[in-house]
Amino acid sequence: MRKKAPKDYFPVKAYLVMVLFTVGYALVVYRLYTLQIRDHQLLKEKAEKQHMRIVKIVPKRGTIYDREMRELAISVDTVSLYAVPPQVHNKPAAARVLARMTGENRRRILKSLLKKKQFVWVARKCNPSILKRLEEADLNGVYALFESKRFYPNRALAAGVLGIVGIDNEGLEGIEYKYDDLIKGKPGYFLASVDAKRRKIIDEGEGYIKPAGANHLVLTLDRVIQHITEGELKKAVEDNKALSGTAVMIRPGTGEILAMASYPGFNPNEFGDFPARNRRNRSIQVNFEPGSTFKLVTLAAALDRGVVHPKDIFFCENGAYRYRTTVYHDTHEYGWLTVRQIIQRSSNIGAIKIGERLDEKDFYRYITDFGFGAKTGIDLPGEAYGMVRPTGQWSGLSGASLSMGQELSVTALQVVSAVATIANGGVRMQPYVVSRVIDEDHKVLREVRPVARRQVISRKTADFLIRCMEAVVSEDGTAPDAAVPGFRVAGKTGTAQKYDAELGRYSRRKYVSSFVGFVPADRPEFALIVVVNEPHGKFYYGGLVAAPAFRRIAERTLRYLRVVPPQSPEWVLTRCDGKKASLRQVKGSG
Amino acid sequence: MKKSFDKILMADVLFLCVVGIVMVYSASAYMAMDLYQDEHFFLKREVLFALVGLGGMLVTANINYVHLRYLVYPLLAVCLVLMILVLIPGIGVKVGGAQRWLQIGGVKFQPSEMTKMGLILYMAHSLKRKEGKIKDFAYGFTPYVMILGVFFMLILLQPDLGTAVSLAAVVMLMLFMAGTRLRYLLSLVLLSIPLLYVLIMGEAYRRRRLSAFLDPWKDAAGAGFQIIQSFLAIGSGGLTGTGLAQGHQERLFLPEPHTDFIFAIIGEELGFFGAVVVVIAFAILFYRGMLISLRSVEPFGRYLALGLTGMVSIQALLNLGVVVGLLPTKGLTLPLVSYGGSSLLMTFIGVGILLNISKWTRAT
């Protein structure tokens, strides 16, 4: 029995194995059912999500032009590199290659490559020549895309007005910030079907949304005048060893800003290299006490209210005037002065006496009507209000202080706007810097029309003020240096002591020197203010520090604008001769 | 005695081979374009391998399989030598961290593919000779375990866990069918569990693969990437699939779309229907192979058919299991379908032998 062949279990086992395998195949089919039928929708969506990637097409930021359509800010094409970290094989080696390629820090690149992300930036906004080097390097998981970058071809020119943009082309300051929505454009999108290497493989026809064209801006600024103004401002600040300075030029008849300069400035292409304070637009963002230039407002109010007559004369107390609790002084000892002489020589005592005749509420109303203590409403961000106390907060001395330009703070734009009001026959115009918004095809979308804010004083009052201001520029005035040969110049100096918070009184060494005026006095082309902050040179009087800069800017601007001096053919002759000596004679005859 | 070979098996195999060629092309074209600027790069090679394989199949199908017994020991010796040679740095060719290939002239081949064949032949031959004494521990069990152990370790050293496991599985299947005591086999399995544990937990990438298998979504961008991409491919195929070359996943999302994960592309492009047809084709291959084994007139043919069928089927089932997420990833190709010369050639040769055995079966 034992010797007999044992029963052959092979077939039984074979069937058992076949059943087992059948179970295996059935399990596979069951899994296929769950994946392909039960969870089909879910998995399909997940797969599509990784296949279809919304690719954002960043629009080119619109150009900013000056009034003559010369470019102030443009957009240039650059290449940015990004990586899909899971696809990068040898990360340290890749980081080394990329660091050499881009000039970026190797460790920073490696750190981002080691992130558990599907997308990291390697380097933003590189020169397009990097594309070729990227191709040569043949790195896995590193890709390039086009991005536009803001570029300011004139570097620091008008930088404080134009502002800056961030790495994602978002406007951060200045016009770039204020008009961001208009010039940034709408990004386009397209659904790109991409593989794991994020390569586009479906043409752009599918699900393609064109980036909406960014609009362009045309400014009221003139590149040449801006250049002149910045150059002369810089010279004035440096010559007088001052801390800083600002200058604004405005067209009195329209409110258009022709130039707006701050010094020291910055290059917006590399704004990170400059201290943040250099980025301030000092014309509108820095407050200062105006000093004597404000006497124009005092006189304007008194004349317009009729409490002072142009023919009135005032006794200026021979230089020392006790008013209530304080004694006020003049720089020179004056006796009797006409209203005009008070302005011409900038008598503090005279100004106080003019102010005394004004009712506090009337004075305050004129101050605010001229635009002080409030934003001018210029289309630039970060404008300061300045500070004017309402009458309720005035002390017994406030009227006197205000009469000579103390106890309030102003911006350079507020002062030049007030003086432009006088130049414009008493009508204050709304200052603005953007004159047109145009679309991609340069079709005008928005045209800014000059807006008259208010008739602040009568034309008659204005005309008399202008005559007073012309006297300032004469040989007997405080600013003969502001005279432009051949033209009638109207202006006013300002020399304000800075309030020293440490000493608790006005400083004897820190001044704000300014000159504000307009040319030609009878038919003003522009009003201009030059403010020099803390001059530490030989002089600190506005007439000596700011007036020469005013003259040079005015002179060069008039020449650039081809404004011919009225009734003086000699001017033309001298221009042809090109001799400076003869200019004096013209002045004498005019 | 039947005069003709199993035509159903042959048709089934040819069908799988054709599916393989089409899918290799569909799955690799994009990648081939990317790597070699030639979308036909893998297709041309796969067709060439298939032709060579078909030739090999025709040859073995027409050689009486009993003559193969003369080849058993020389082949085993050659396999042993090659398996050692492949591990020697400078001789074996390393691809992606694994030293699995030998290069002769311009042709690269995997000795482990040949080893499967060699070991199956040896097992079949030896089991036939030891019929009746197979239940003996020292005589009918130990020698096989030792030989398997040697080759198992050699394959592991490459390393190629997938092939090692499938080889061990086929040897165990043959021993089980030949009548080895179940308790020996079970204790062998139990004993190998600590070994497998060490093997898996000792290698960071295997550990990751295991954890990715257990919860692929946990690290979708890392360890779970491959299996999730496989799910997404299969899942987005739905009932009818996206159509040939219309799938997205092979476009470099799914690593190795034309080799280990070709079934995922089948699932995506041919859908549930197509994938089930392929599974059924493998099931038919298995059933026909088992029938040949069952109907074989003598033990050598019976065991040889069993071994060859088992080898192809186990590997297929393991691969399918991995791709649909039933098993952890281990790097096995789908026989007849995946791209790969050595595997295709040896599978065809094995099928040729099966076909030859089928000529000598009794009718039921």
Side-chain angles (χ1 to χ4, degrees), chain A residues 452-524:
Chain A
R453 289 288 296 268
R454 172 186 288 274
Q455 178 89 39
V456 182
I457 49 173
S458 68
R459 175 166 279 282
K460 213 177 122 214
T461 306
D463 284 344
F464 179 71
L465 284 167
I466 294 170
R467 283 204 296 284
C468 297
M469 289 168 77
E470 279 187 83
V472 172
V473 183
S474 71
E475 288 296 343
D476 298 328
T478 51
D481 282 349
V484 179
F487 290 94
R488 287 168 59 187
V489 175
K492 181 72 192 79
T493 53
T495 311
Q497 287 171 296
K498 284 180 94 169
Y499 188 78
D500 192 321
E502 273 177 40
L503 298 173
R505 60 169 168 79
Y506 283 101
S507 165
R508 293 207 182 85
R509 283 180 293 114
K510 294 180 180 172
Y511 294 90
V512 177
S513 308
S514 58
F515 186 88
V516 59
F518 46 90
V519 218
D522 50 344
R523 267 182 45 232

Coordinates of all heavy atoms in Angstrom, one line a residue, chain A residues 452-524:
Chain A
A452 N -11.3 126.1 -11.4 CA -11.1 127.2 -10.5 C -11.7 126.9 -9.2 O -12.9 126.5 -9.1 CB -11.8 128.4 -11.1
R453 N -10.9 127.0 -8.1 CA -11.5 126.6 -6.8 C -12.3 127.7 -6.2 O -13.3 127.5 -5.6 CB -10.3 126.2 -5.9 CG -9.7 124.9 -6.2 CD -10.5 123.7 -5.9 NE -10.8 123.5 -4.5 CZ -10.0 122.8 -3.7 NH1 -9.0 122.2 -4.1 NH2 -10.3 122.8 -2.4
R454 N -11.8 128.9 -6.4 CA -12.4 130.0 -5.7 C -11.8 131.4 -6.1 O -10.6 131.5 -6.4 CB -12.2 129.8 -4.2 CG -12.6 130.9 -3.2 CD -12.2 130.6 -1.8 NE -13.0 129.5 -1.3 CZ -14.2 129.7 -0.7 NH1 -14.7 130.9 -0.6 NH2 -14.8 128.7 -0.1
Q455 N -12.7 132.4 -6.1 CA -12.1 133.8 -6.2 C -11.8 134.2 -4.8 O -12.7 134.5 -4.0 CB -13.2 134.7 -6.8 CG -12.7 136.1 -7.0 CD -12.0 136.4 -8.3 OE1 -12.4 135.9 -9.3 NE2 -11.0 137.2 -8.2
V456 N -10.5 134.2 -4.5 CA -10.1 134.4 -3.1 C -10.1 135.9 -2.8 O -10.6 136.3 -1.7 CB -8.8 133.8 -2.8 CG1 -8.4 134.0 -1.3 CG2 -8.8 132.3 -3.2
I457 N -9.5 136.7 -3.7 CA -9.5 138.1 -3.5 C -9.9 138.7 -4.8 O -9.9 138.1 -5.9 CB -8.1 138.6 -3.1 CG1 -7.1 138.0 -4.1 CG2 -7.8 138.3 -1.7 CD1 -5.7 138.6 -3.9
S458 N -10.2 140.0 -4.8 CA -10.6 140.7 -6.0 C -9.4 140.9 -6.9 O -8.3 140.9 -6.5 CB -11.3 142.1 -5.7 OG -10.3 142.9 -5.2
R459 N -9.7 141.1 -8.2 CA -8.7 141.4 -9.2 C -7.9 142.7 -8.8 O -6.7 142.7 -8.9 CB -9.3 141.5 -10.6 CG -8.3 141.9 -11.6 CD -8.8 141.7 -13.0 NE -8.7 140.4 -13.5 CZ -7.5 139.8 -13.9 NH1 -6.4 140.5 -13.9 NH2 -7.5 138.6 -14.3
K460 N -8.7 143.6 -8.3 CA -8.0 144.9 -7.9 C -7.0 144.6 -6.8 O -5.9 145.1 -6.9 CB -9.1 145.9 -7.4 CG -8.8 147.3 -7.7 CD -10.0 148.2 -7.2 CE -9.5 149.2 -6.2 NZ -10.4 149.6 -5.2
T461 N -7.4 143.9 -5.8 CA -6.5 143.6 -4.7 C -5.3 142.9 -5.2 O -4.1 143.2 -4.9 CB -7.2 142.7 -3.7 OG1 -8.4 143.3 -3.2 CG2 -6.3 142.4 -2.5
A462 N -5.5 141.9 -6.1 CA -4.4 141.1 -6.7 C -3.5 142.0 -7.4 O -2.2 141.9 -7.3 CB -5.0 140.0 -7.6
D463 N -4.0 142.9 -8.2 CA -3.2 143.8 -9.0 C -2.3 144.7 -8.1 O -1.1 144.8 -8.4 CB -4.0 144.7 -9.9 CG -4.6 144.0 -11.1 OD1 -4.1 142.9 -11.4 OD2 -5.6 144.5 -11.7
F464 N -2.8 145.1 -7.0 CA -2.0 145.9 -6.1 C -0.9 145.1 -5.5 O 0.2 145.5 -5.3 CB -2.9 146.6 -5.0 CG -2.0 147.4 -4.1 CD1 -1.5 148.6 -4.5 CD2 -1.8 147.0 -2.8 CE1 -0.7 149.4 -3.6 CE2 -1.0 147.7 -1.9 CZ -0.4 148.9 -2.3
L465 N -1.3 143.9 -5.1 CA -0.3 143.0 -4.5 C 0.8 142.7 -5.4 O 2.0 142.6 -5.0 CB -1.0 141.6 -4.1 CG -1.8 141.7 -2.8 CD1 -2.7 140.4 -2.7 CD2 -1.0 141.8 -1.6
I466 N 0.5 142.6 -6.7 CA 1.5 142.3 -7.7 C 2.5 143.4 -7.8 O 3.7 143.2 -7.8 CB 0.9 142.0 -9.1 CG1 0.1 140.7 -9.1 CG2 2.0 142.0 -10.2 CD1 -0.7 140.5 -10.3
R467 N 2.0 144.7 -7.7 CA 2.9 145.8 -7.7 C 3.8 145.8 -6.5 O 5.0 146.1 -6.6 CB 2.1 147.1 -7.8 CG 1.6 147.4 -9.2 CD 1.3 148.8 -9.5 NE 0.2 149.4 -8.6 CZ -1.1 149.2 -8.8 NH1 -1.5 148.4 -9.8 NH2 -2.0 149.7 -8.0
C468 N 3.2 145.4 -5.3 CA 4.0 145.3 -4.1 C 5.1 144.3 -4.3 O 6.3 144.5 -3.9 CB 3.2 144.9 -2.9 SG 1.9 146.1 -2.5
M469 N 4.8 143.2 -4.9 CA 5.7 142.1 -5.1 C 6.8 142.4 -6.1 O 7.9 141.9 -6.0 CB 5.0 140.8 -5.5 CG 4.1 140.2 -4.4 SD 3.0 138.9 -5.1 CE 4.2 137.6 -5.2
E470 N 6.4 143.2 -7.1 CA 7.5 143.7 -8.0 C 8.5 144.5 -7.3 O 9.7 144.4 -7.7 CB 6.8 144.4 -9.2 CG 6.2 143.6 -10.2 CD 5.7 144.4 -11.4 OE1 6.6 144.7 -12.3 OE2 4.5 144.7 -11.5
A471 N 8.1 145.3 -6.3 CA 9.0 146.1 -5.6 C 10.1 145.3 -4.8 O 11.2 145.7 -4.6 CB 8.3 147.0 -4.7
V472 N 9.6 144.1 -4.4 CA 10.5 143.2 -3.7 C 11.8 142.9 -4.5 O 12.9 142.8 -4.0 CB 9.8 141.9 -3.3 CG1 10.8 140.9 -2.7 CG2 8.7 142.2 -2.3
V473 N 11.6 142.8 -5.8 CA 12.7 142.3 -6.7 C 13.5 143.5 -7.1 O 14.6 143.3 -7.7 CB 12.1 141.6 -7.9 CG1 13.1 141.0 -8.8 CG2 11.2 140.4 -7.4
S474 N 13.1 144.7 -6.8 CA 13.9 145.9 -7.2 C 15.1 146.0 -6.3 O 15.3 145.3 -5.3 CB 13.0 147.1 -7.0 OG 12.8 147.4 -5.6
E475 N 16.0 147.0 -6.7 CA 17.2 147.1 -5.9 C 17.0 147.5 -4.5 O 17.8 147.1 -3.6 CB 18.1 148.2 -6.6 CG 18.7 147.9 -7.9 CD 19.7 146.7 -7.8 OE1 20.2 146.4 -6.7 OE2 20.0 146.1 -8.9
D476 N 15.8 148.1 -4.2 CA 15.5 148.4 -2.8 C 14.8 147.4 -2.0 O 14.5 147.5 -0.8 CB 14.6 149.7 -2.7 CG 15.4 150.9 -3.4 OD1 16.6 150.9 -3.2 OD2 14.7 151.7 -4.0
G477 N 14.4 146.3 -2.7 CA 13.7 145.2 -2.1 C 14.6 144.2 -1.4 O 15.8 144.4 -1.4
T478 N 14.0 143.2 -0.9 CA 14.8 142.1 -0.2 C 15.4 141.1 -1.2 O 16.2 140.3 -0.8 CB 13.9 141.4 0.8 OG1 12.7 140.9 0.1 CG2 13.5 142.2 2.0
A479 N 14.9 141.2 -2.5 CA 15.4 140.1 -3.4 C 15.8 140.7 -4.8 O 15.2 140.2 -5.8 CB 14.4 139.0 -3.5
P480 N 16.7 141.6 -4.8 CA 17.1 142.0 -6.2 C 17.7 140.9 -7.0 O 17.7 140.9 -8.2 CB 18.2 143.1 -5.9 CG 18.6 142.9 -4.5 CD 17.5 142.3 -3.8
D481 N 18.2 139.9 -6.3 CA 18.8 138.7 -7.0 C 17.8 137.9 -7.8 O 18.2 137.0 -8.5 CB 19.5 137.8 -6.0 CG 20.9 138.4 -5.6 OD1 21.3 139.3 -6.2 OD2 21.4 137.9 -4.6
A482 N 16.5 138.2 -7.5 CA 15.5 137.4 -8.2 C 15.1 138.0 -9.5 O 14.4 137.4 -10.3 CB 14.2 137.2 -7.3
A483 N 15.6 139.2 -9.8 CA 15.3 139.9 -11.0 C 15.8 139.1 -12.2 O 16.9 138.7 -12.3 CB 15.9 141.3 -11.0
V484 N 14.9 139.0 -13.2 CA 15.2 138.4 -14.5 C 15.3 139.5 -15.5 O 14.3 140.2 -15.7 CB 14.2 137.3 -14.9 CG1 14.6 136.7 -16.2 CG2 14.0 136.3 -13.9
P485 N 16.5 139.7 -16.1 CA 16.7 140.8 -17.0 C 15.6 140.8 -18.1 O 15.4 139.7 -18.7 CB 18.1 140.6 -17.5 CG 18.8 139.8 -16.5 CD 17.7 139.0 -15.8
G486 N 15.0 141.9 -18.3 CA 14.0 142.0 -19.4 C 12.6 141.7 -19.0 O 11.7 141.9 -19.8
F487 N 12.4 141.1 -17.8 CA 11.1 140.7 -17.5 C 10.7 141.4 -16.2 O 11.5 141.7 -15.3 CB 11.0 139.2 -17.3 CG 11.1 138.4 -18.6 CD1 12.3 138.0 -19.0 CD2 10.0 138.2 -19.3 CE1 12.4 137.3 -20.2 CE2 10.0 137.5 -20.5 CZ 11.3 137.0 -21.0
R488 N 9.4 141.6 -16.0 CA 8.9 142.1 -14.7 C 8.7 140.8 -13.8 O 7.9 139.9 -14.2 CB 7.6 142.8 -14.9 CG 7.8 144.2 -15.6 CD 6.5 144.8 -16.0 NE 5.6 145.0 -14.9 CZ 4.3 145.4 -15.1 NH1 3.8 145.6 -16.3 NH2 3.5 145.5 -14.1
V489 N 9.4 140.8 -12.7 CA 9.2 139.7 -11.8 C 8.5 140.2 -10.6 O 8.8 141.2 -10.0 CB 10.6 139.1 -11.4 CG1 10.5 138.0 -10.4 CG2 11.3 138.6 -12.7
A490 N 7.6 139.4 -10.1 CA 6.9 139.7 -8.8 C 7.3 138.5 -7.8 O 7.3 137.4 -8.2 CB 5.4 139.7 -9.0
G491 N 7.5 138.9 -6.6 CA 7.9 137.8 -5.7 C 7.9 138.3 -4.2 O 7.6 139.4 -3.9
K492 N 8.3 137.3 -3.4 CA 8.4 137.6 -2.0 C 9.4 136.7 -1.3 O 9.3 135.5 -1.6 CB 7.0 137.5 -1.3 CG 7.0 137.8 0.2 CD 7.2 139.3 0.4 CE 7.4 139.7 1.9 NZ 8.9 139.4 2.3
T493 N 10.2 137.2 -0.5 CA 11.2 136.4 0.2 C 10.6 135.9 1.5 O 9.6 136.4 2.0 CB 12.4 137.2 0.6 OG1 12.0 138.4 1.3 CG2 13.2 137.7 -0.6
G494 N 11.2 134.8 2.0 CA 10.7 134.3 3.3 C 12.0 133.8 4.0 O 12.7 133.0 3.4
T495 N 12.1 134.2 5.3 CA 13.2 133.6 6.0 C 12.7 133.3 7.4 O 12.4 134.2 8.2 CB 14.4 134.7 6.2 OG1 14.7 135.2 4.9 CG2 15.6 134.0 6.8
A496 N 12.4 132.0 7.6 CA 11.7 131.6 8.8 C 12.7 130.9 9.7 O 13.4 130.0 9.3 CB 10.5 130.7 8.5
Q497 N 12.7 131.4 11.0 CA 13.5 130.6 12.0 C 12.7 129.3 12.2 O 11.5 129.3 12.3 CB 13.6 131.4 13.3 CG 14.5 132.6 13.2 CD 14.4 133.5 14.4 OE1 13.3 134.0 14.7 NE2 15.4 133.6 15.2
K498 N 13.5 128.3 12.4 CA 12.9 127.0 12.7 C 12.6 126.9 14.2 O 13.5 127.3 15.0 CB 13.7 125.8 12.2 CG 13.6 125.6 10.7 CD 14.5 124.5 10.3 CE 13.7 123.2 10.1 NZ 14.5 122.1 9.5
Y499 N 11.5 126.4 14.5 CA 11.2 126.2 15.9 C 12.1 125.0 16.5 O 12.1 124.0 15.9 CB 9.8 125.9 16.2 CG 9.4 125.9 17.6 CD1 9.2 127.1 18.3 CD2 9.2 124.7 18.3 CE1 8.8 127.2 19.6 CE2 8.9 124.7 19.7 CZ 8.7 126.0 20.3 OH 8.4 126.0 21.6
D500 N 12.8 125.3 17.5 CA 13.7 124.3 18.1 C 13.0 123.6 19.3 O 12.9 124.3 20.3 CB 15.0 124.9 18.5 CG 16.1 123.8 18.8 OD1 15.7 122.8 19.4 OD2 17.2 123.9 18.4
A501 N 12.6 122.4 19.1 CA 11.8 121.8 20.2 C 12.7 121.6 21.4 O 12.2 121.7 22.6 CB 11.3 120.4 19.7
E502 N 14.0 121.4 21.3 CA 14.9 121.2 22.4 C 15.0 122.5 23.3 O 14.9 122.5 24.5 CB 16.2 120.8 22.0 CG 16.4 119.3 21.8 CD 17.7 118.9 21.2 OE1 18.7 119.5 21.7 OE2 17.8 118.0 20.3
L503 N 15.2 123.6 22.5 CA 15.3 124.9 23.2 C 14.0 125.4 23.7 O 13.9 126.3 24.6 CB 16.0 125.9 22.3 CG 17.5 125.5 21.9 CD1 18.0 126.5 20.9 CD2 18.4 125.4 23.1
G504 N 12.9 125.0 23.0 CA 11.6 125.5 23.3 C 11.4 126.9 22.8 O 10.5 127.7 23.3
R505 N 12.2 127.3 21.8 CA 12.0 128.6 21.2 C 12.5 128.5 19.8 O 13.0 127.5 19.3 CB 12.8 129.7 22.0 CG 14.3 129.4 22.1 CD 15.0 130.7 22.6 NE 16.4 130.4 22.9 CZ 17.4 130.3 22.1 NH1 17.1 130.4 20.8 NH2 18.6 130.0 22.5
Y506 N 12.4 129.7 19.1 CA 12.9 129.7 17.7 C 14.4 129.6 17.7 O 15.1 130.3 18.5 CB 12.4 130.9 17.0 CG 11.0 130.8 16.5 CD1 9.9 131.4 17.2 CD2 10.6 130.0 15.4 CE1 8.6 131.2 16.9 CE2 9.3 129.9 15.0 CZ 8.3 130.5 15.7 OH 7.0 130.3 15.4
S507 N 15.0 128.8 16.8 CA 16.4 128.7 16.7 C 17.0 129.9 16.1 O 16.4 130.6 15.2 CB 16.7 127.4 15.9 OG 18.1 127.4 15.5
R508 N 18.3 130.2 16.4 CA 18.9 131.3 15.8 C 19.9 130.8 14.7 O 20.6 131.6 14.0 CB 19.7 132.1 16.8 CG 18.8 132.9 17.8 CD 19.5 134.1 18.3 NE 18.5 134.7 19.3 CZ 18.5 134.3 20.6 NH1 19.3 133.4 21.1 NH2 17.6 134.9 21.4
R509 N 19.9 129.5 14.5 CA 20.8 129.0 13.5 C 20.1 128.2 12.4 O 20.7 127.9 11.3 CB 21.9 128.1 14.2 CG 23.0 128.9 14.9 CD 24.0 128.0 15.5 NE 23.5 127.2 16.6 CZ 23.3 125.9 16.6 NH1 23.7 125.2 15.5 NH2 22.8 125.3 17.6
K510 N 18.9 127.8 12.7 CA 18.2 127.0 11.7 C 17.1 127.8 11.1 O 16.2 128.3 11.8 CB 17.6 125.7 12.4 CG 18.7 124.8 12.9 CD 18.1 123.6 13.5 CE 19.2 122.6 14.0 NZ 18.6 121.5 14.8
Y511 N 17.2 127.9 9.7 CA 16.2 128.7 9.0 C 15.7 127.9 7.9 O 16.3 127.0 7.4 CB 16.9 130.0 8.4 CG 17.4 131.0 9.5 CD1 18.7 130.9 10.0 CD2 16.5 132.0 10.0 CE1 19.1 131.7 11.0 CE2 17.0 132.8 10.9 CZ 18.3 132.7 11.4 OH 18.7 133.6 12.4
V512 N 14.5 128.4 7.4 CA 14.0 127.9 6.2 C 13.9 129.1 5.3 O 13.2 130.1 5.6 CB 12.6 127.3 6.3 CG1 12.0 126.9 4.9 CG2 12.6 126.0 7.2
S513 N 14.7 129.1 4.2 CA 14.8 130.3 3.4 C 14.0 130.0 2.1 O 14.2 128.9 1.5 CB 16.2 130.6 3.0 OG 17.0 130.7 4.2
S514 N 13.2 131.0 1.7 CA 12.4 130.7 0.5 C 12.2 131.9 -0.3 O 12.4 133.1 0.1 CB 11.0 130.1 0.9 OG 10.3 131.0 1.8
F515 N 11.9 131.7 -1.5 CA 11.5 132.8 -2.4 C 10.3 132.3 -3.3 O 10.4 131.2 -3.9 CB 12.6 133.3 -3.3 CG 12.2 134.5 -4.1 CD1 12.3 135.8 -3.5 CD2 11.6 134.4 -5.3 CE1 11.9 136.9 -4.2 CE2 11.2 135.5 -6.0 CZ 11.4 136.8 -5.5
V516 N 9.3 133.0 -3.4 CA 8.2 132.6 -4.2 C 7.8 133.8 -5.1 O 7.8 135.0 -4.6 CB 7.0 132.1 -3.4 CG1 6.5 133.2 -2.4 CG2 5.8 131.6 -4.3
G517 N 7.5 133.5 -6.3 CA 7.2 134.6 -7.2 C 6.7 134.1 -8.6 O 6.4 132.9 -8.7
F518 N 6.5 135.1 -9.5 CA 6.0 134.7 -10.8 C 6.5 135.6 -11.9 O 6.9 136.8 -11.6 CB 4.5 134.5 -10.9 CG 3.7 135.7 -10.3 CD1 3.4 136.8 -11.0 CD2 3.4 135.6 -8.9 CE1 2.7 137.8 -10.5 CE2 2.7 136.7 -8.4 CZ 2.3 137.8 -9.1
V519 N 6.6 135.2 -13.1 CA 7.1 136.0 -14.2 C 6.3 135.6 -15.4 O 5.9 134.5 -15.6 CB 8.6 135.6 -14.6 CG1 9.4 136.8 -15.0 CG2 9.2 134.7 -13.6
P520 N 6.1 136.5 -16.4 CA 6.2 138.0 -16.2 C 5.1 138.5 -15.3 O 4.0 137.8 -15.3 CB 6.0 138.5 -17.6 CG 6.2 137.4 -18.5 CD 5.8 136.2 -17.7
A521 N 5.3 139.5 -14.5 CA 4.4 139.9 -13.5 C 3.0 140.3 -14.1 O 2.0 140.0 -13.4 CB 5.0 141.1 -12.7
D522 N 3.0 140.8 -15.3 CA 1.7 141.3 -15.8 C 0.9 140.1 -16.5 O -0.3 140.1 -16.5 CB 1.9 142.5 -16.8 CG 3.0 142.2 -17.8 OD1 3.8 141.2 -17.6 OD2 3.0 142.9 -18.8
R523 N 1.7 139.2 -17.1 CA 1.0 138.1 -17.8 C 1.8 136.8 -17.4 O 2.5 136.3 -18.2 CB 1.0 138.3 -19.3 CG -0.2 139.0 -19.8 CD -0.2 139.1 -21.3 NE 0.2 137.9 -22.0 CZ 1.2 137.8 -22.9 NH1 1.8 138.9 -23.2 NH2 1.5 136.7 -23.5
P524 N 1.5 136.3 -16.2 CA 2.4 135.3 -15.7 C 2.4 134.0 -16.5 O 1.3 133.4 -16.8 CB 1.8 135.0 -14.3 CG 0.9 136.1 -14.0 CD 0.4 136.6 -15.3

